[in-house]
Amino acid sequence: MTLIKKILGGFAIIALFGTGAMAQNIRTSSRHSQAHSQLLAKQASSSNQIKLIEKNSFIDLIDDLEPEPDIYTEGWNSKRVNPFKESEVPQSQVIDVTGYYIPVPGRITSQYGYRARFGRMHKGVDLGLKMNDTVRAAFDGKVRLTNYEAKGYGNYVIIRHPNGLETVYGHLNKHLVKPNQVVKAGQAIGLGGNTGRSTGPHLHFETRYMGYAINPNAIFDFANKTTHTDTYTFNKNTYTQARNYAPKESLAHNTGSGNSYKAGDNSQTTYTVKSGDTMASIARSYGMAATTLRRLNNMMPNARIKVGQILKIK
């Protein structure tokens, strides 16, 4: 509680919801647990080995874009977008993710993860939408910043939440909120657009904890418009990983190399090389650089991998 108060700077959030009709209902903890338990039961027979090849040409075009500059570290020093010091960030923290709302109902068009082509991370997921579709707050919170970045996020909004998270909404056509405005989960905060570095309308959505860009797939099951569980445990060692409760559509997708990763398995510490794998494709699926993967395995830059070889991924 002390940490949450420190992050929020003392502002209070009123967690009362009206009965007005919305496309989604805000879930209570008990209702969410029961509903998602049923969802998990139905998916229990799903294979842990995920192989998903996107065939949509627009999605392929989005994937080829250079990831947006990290708004927490690049170009915004005067804005103090990331005020957190590394020494203040705990190694592990349990976060309450009940009372959620999926920002837009569209499916994922580009995943979180390392982009070898550009040498940096795509630190959120892109969600499909049409121009001027309503974008809504994921949780109760307070608007921390609204701004425009021509070479990256375009119009964007950052909201800080009582659970300790911050969420980022990029490429908006228009802001509907102002800094320091208190918002509720599901409240309209912007209109979807194509501003900044973008080839078509979509929402770039990030979830952050004290500056760390968490893989949104670790918290949200976007295909079913819910959260995987009532709580998410942030950990500095695993925050880039998804969780494999969701159906195939919302897990990190294969780019056609023939790989079939056990996507989002937080307990997995090794990976067995399969036909068609490369160091870059394996590293990308686990949210790291190929150089990091080589370093973990004491491999030289020009070393080649073989089918059946076991690589450390932690």
Side-chain angles (χ1 to χ4, degrees), residues 158-169:
I158 299 177
I159 301 176
R160 182 171 290 183
H161 308 286
N163 59 9
L165 293 176
E166 287 191 337
T167 49
V168 182
Y169 310 78

Side-chain angles (χ1 to χ4, degrees), residues 13-230:
I13 301 296
I14 301 174
L16 297 177
F17 297 94
T19 57
M22 280 189 174
Q24 292 179 330
N25 293 321
I26 305 301
R27 311 286 184 89
T28 63
S29 177
S30 60
R31 287 181 62 196
H32 170 268
S33 297
Q34 181 179 3
H36 206 267
S37 294
Q38 294 173 354
L39 174 63
L40 297 183
K42 292 179 181 178
Q43 297 168 356
S45 61
S46 296
S47 169
N48 284 332
Q49 298 295 326
I50 304 301
K51 184 177 182 181
L52 182 63
I53 302 176
E54 292 288 359
K55 297 181 180 180
N56 185 294
S57 60
F58 174 71
I59 293 175
D60 291 340
L61 184 58
I62 291 292
D63 275 338
D64 285 341
L65 283 177
E66 182 179 0
E68 294 87 346
D70 185 349
I71 59 177
Y72 279 74
T73 60
E74 298 181 22
W76 284 9
N77 292 334
S78 63
K79 297 289 185 180
R80 298 288 296 168
V81 174
N82 182 11
F84 305 111
K85 297 180 180 179
E86 178 60 28
S87 60
E88 297 175 338
V89 184
Q91 177 65 29
S92 181
Q93 178 70 33
V94 177
I95 299 171
D96 182 354
V97 292
T98 57
Y100 66 92
Y101 199 98
I102 299 296
V104 294
R107 68 190 181 101
I108 293 178
T109 60
S110 184
Q111 286 286 358
Y112 173 102
Y114 182 75
R115 298 292 188 263
R117 178 178 175 184
F118 305 107
R120 63 184 180 189
M121 288 283 290
H122 181 233
K123 296 190 175 182
V125 296
D126 292 342
L127 300 171
L129 50 68
K130 296 179 181 179
M131 283 293 293
N132 294 318
D133 277 355
T134 301
V135 176
R136 301 181 184 277
F139 301 97
D140 288 357
K142 187 175 185 179
V143 178
R144 176 166 163 68
L145 182 66
T146 64
N147 209 337
Y148 176 76
E149 173 55 54
K151 296 181 179 180
Y153 291 80
N155 291 314
Y156 62 87
V157 172
I158 299 177
I159 301 176
R160 182 171 290 183
H161 308 286
N163 59 9
L165 293 176
E166 287 191 337
T167 49
V168 182
Y169 310 78
H171 304 305
L172 301 175
N173 190 37
K174 183 179 180 181
H175 305 128
L176 297 180
V177 290
K178 297 179 180 180
N180 298 314
Q181 181 176 338
V182 174
V183 297
K184 295 181 180 179
Q187 181 175 333
I189 60 169
L191 300 180
N194 186 30
T195 58
R197 183 186 287 126
S198 173
T199 60
H202 69 281
L203 174 69
H204 176 81
F205 177 64
E206 296 183 11
T207 51
R208 298 258 182 169
Y209 177 70
M210 298 191 77
Y212 279 74
I214 298 167
N215 187 335
N217 289 299
I219 299 174
F220 296 99
D221 174 352
F222 290 98
N224 292 287
K225 300 175 180 58
T226 185
T227 53
H228 293 301
T229 49
D230 290 341

